[in-house]
Amino acid sequence: MLEQIIQAVQGQAADYFRQHPDIPNEQAEGAAQAAGASIMAALQNQITSGNIEGIQNMLSGGNVDGNAMGQIMQQATGLLGGYLNQQGVSQATALSASQGLMPQLIQMVLGKFMSKAPGDSGFDIGSLISLVMGGGQQQQQNNGMLGTILGSVLGGGGQQGGGSDLLSSILGNVLGGGQQ
C-alpha cells in the first residue's frame, strides 16, 4: 500500500518539480518520492490518532472532515517542505512548492481510493487501516519502512549528513514516537 501511494503521486509530483524554476531538476525524483511518503505519513497519523471513521469516510467518498483534511494537508506539506529545505531549497520556496503541489496530490490519492477502476483496486481502505493498525511488530515494520523510504530519499545522492536524522525526528513526532 505504501509503495502504491508513493508511485501514484511520483509522476505528477516529478513533473511539477521539474517545471518549478527554483527546484533543481536533479532533485525532482527524490522530492516526488518524499511527497508520496509525506501523504502516507499524514494519513497514518490521522488513523493512529483515532480518526479511523473520518479517514474511512474521506477515502470512500463520504463526508470529508474539514479538520482532518486540514491536518493531513498541513502535515504532508510540512514534511515535504522540510525535505526540500534539507536539499538546499530556501524555506520560503520549499513551503511555496509544497503548498502548491500537495492539494492536488492529496485529491489524486483520495480519488484512487474512491475509484472503481481495476488498476486502482490496490487502494483499499481496509488495507490502509490494517497497514497502520497492524500493532506490535507489524506497526514498527510499517513505520520503519516509511522511515527507510524517506531516509533513503534524504540520504541518497551524496547528501550531507544530518538530513536523515531530521526526517527521522519529524517522522517520529508524526508517527507518535521517537526512533530508537
Side-chain angles (χ1 to χ4, degrees), residues 133-162:
M133 300 303 290
Q137 186 176 5
Q138 182 64 39
Q139 176 65 28
Q140 290 174 357
Q141 289 172 349
N142 294 336
N143 289 347
M145 183 169 64
L146 183 60
T148 299
I149 290 170
L150 284 170
S152 69
V153 168
L154 280 177
Q159 299 301 322
Q160 297 174 347

Side-chain angles (χ1 to χ4, degrees), residues 110-121:
L110 293 178
K112 293 283 189 183
F113 278 95
M114 291 182 269
S115 173
K116 303 296 183 212
D120 294 335
S121 63

